[in-house]
């Protein structure tokens, strides 16, 4: 059985689990969107908009590129419901406690990155995309929403800075596809990949790990 057929069989047998994971990723990315909105002193509507683009922006772009029809959330309002409820609860929690724990944003962001990277890669493979393309789709799913969020908040997107962020997403996609190629079962492949993304991202946050910067030297006549 090929990887594509194996993935389809796995998805059919574990549809409820995959769906719940997708909703969980939507919620944690929505939290990170509200967190950024709070830092920029936006109103609740602005916070909900940032939550929405962060949570479903990457998946929407992925589905458009893969040409799989309307984006996943168009015919399933549960995603929008999760975003709205998560935004309201996060805002209420922040108002009641005056401030959120500083670690909450990186934790939520890392968890969402790990989940969406693997789920995006998985969906691309299930639709017959080659491994390298699937990795790119996973990265788009994981980071594109955050890019849109940061642009709307007038910030330099995190993925374009020296922090290890997109690199962690690439690692997750490579680990996931590589694990499937060598015969590791789908569930373990997902676990290894998500753990790799989350651990690398949080290690980068904790120890301030950076990629080397590219700086052009001034040309001298």
């Amino acid at each position: 059985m090929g990887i594509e057929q194996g993935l389809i069989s796995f998805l059919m047998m574990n549809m409820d689990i995959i769906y719940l994971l997708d909703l969980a990723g939507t919620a944690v990315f929505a939290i990170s969107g509200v967190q950024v909105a709070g830092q920029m002193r936006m109103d609740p509507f602005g916070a909900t908009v940032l939550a929405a683009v962060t949570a479903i922006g990457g998946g929407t772009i992925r589905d458009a590129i893969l040409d799989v029809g309307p984006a996943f959330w168009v015919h399933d309002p549960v995603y929008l419901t999760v975003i709205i409820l998560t935004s309201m609860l996060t805002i209420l929690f922040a108002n009641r406690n005056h401030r959120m724990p500083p670690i909450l944003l990186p934790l939520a962001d890392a968890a969402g990155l790990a989940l969406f990277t693997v789920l995006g890669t998985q969906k691309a493979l299930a639709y017959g995309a080659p491994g390298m393309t699937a990795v790119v789709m996973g990265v788009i799913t994981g980071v594109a929403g955050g890019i849109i969020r940061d642009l709307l908040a007038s910030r330099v997107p995190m993925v374009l800075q020296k922090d290890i962020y997109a690199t962690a997403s690439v690692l997750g996609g490579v680990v996931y596809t590589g694990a499937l190629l060598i015969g590791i079962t789908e569930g373990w492949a997902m676990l290894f990949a998500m753990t790799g993304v989350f651990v690398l991202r949080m290690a980068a946050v904790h120890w301030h790990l950076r990629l080397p910067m590219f700086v052009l030297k001034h040309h001298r006549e």
Side-chain angles (χ1 to χ4, degrees):
M1 181 182 292
I3 291 178
E4 183 179 342
Q5 290 77 16
L7 275 172
I8 293 174
S9 298
F10 177 86
L11 291 173
M12 292 299 293
M13 291 186 296
N14 299 274
M15 190 63 69
D16 290 340
I17 296 175
I18 300 300
Y19 183 63
L20 290 175
L21 283 175
D22 207 11
L23 292 178
T26 299
V28 294
F29 260 19
I31 292 172
S32 72
V34 175
Q35 281 277 84
V36 172
Q39 293 172 358
M40 304 305 296
R41 298 181 179 276
M42 294 184 178
D43 61 20
F45 178 77
T48 304
V49 170
L50 282 196
V53 298
T54 308
I56 61 178
T60 301
I61 295 173
R62 174 204 64 212
D63 287 355
I65 294 174
L66 291 176
D67 194 22
V68 299
F72 61 97
W73 54 269
V74 173
H75 298 300
D76 189 354
V78 173
Y79 287 94
L80 298 179
T81 302
V82 168
I83 291 169
I84 294 171
L85 289 177
T86 301
S87 300
M88 293 174 58
L89 291 174
T90 306
I91 292 170
L92 289 174
F93 176 82
N95 287 337
R96 177 170 294 184
N97 292 275
H98 303 294
R99 63 188 299 271
M100 289 187 176
I103 193 61
L104 182 59
L105 176 57
L107 276 175
D109 205 59
L113 181 66
L115 280 166
F116 276 13
T117 294
V118 173
L119 293 178
T121 306
Q122 183 185 68
K123 184 169 186 176
L125 288 173
Y127 276 90
M132 186 176 295
T133 303
V135 171
V136 173
M137 291 299 103
V139 174
I140 289 174
T141 308
V143 310
I147 293 176
I148 300 171
R149 173 199 67 199
D150 291 342
L151 290 175
L152 290 177
S154 300
R155 308 192 327 173
V156 177
M158 188 183 302
V159 69
L160 300 181
Q161 301 183 65
K162 55 189 177 181
D163 286 345
I164 293 178
Y165 192 83
T167 307
S169 183
V170 172
L171 171 69
V174 171
V175 168
Y176 178 72
T177 55
L180 293 178
L181 285 174
I182 64 175
I184 295 177
T185 60
E186 174 70 21
W188 283 108
M190 292 180 65
L191 180 61
F192 291 151
M194 287 191 289
T195 301
V197 175
F198 184 81
V199 170
L200 179 57
R201 177 60 192 148
M202 291 310 300
V205 171
H206 183 72
W207 285 296
H208 305 289
L209 303 179
R210 302 284 188 267
L211 293 175
M213 289 186 294
F214 173 68
V215 180
L216 286 175
K217 296 182 179 179
H218 293 292
H219 178 71
R220 295 182 180 180
E221 299 292 342

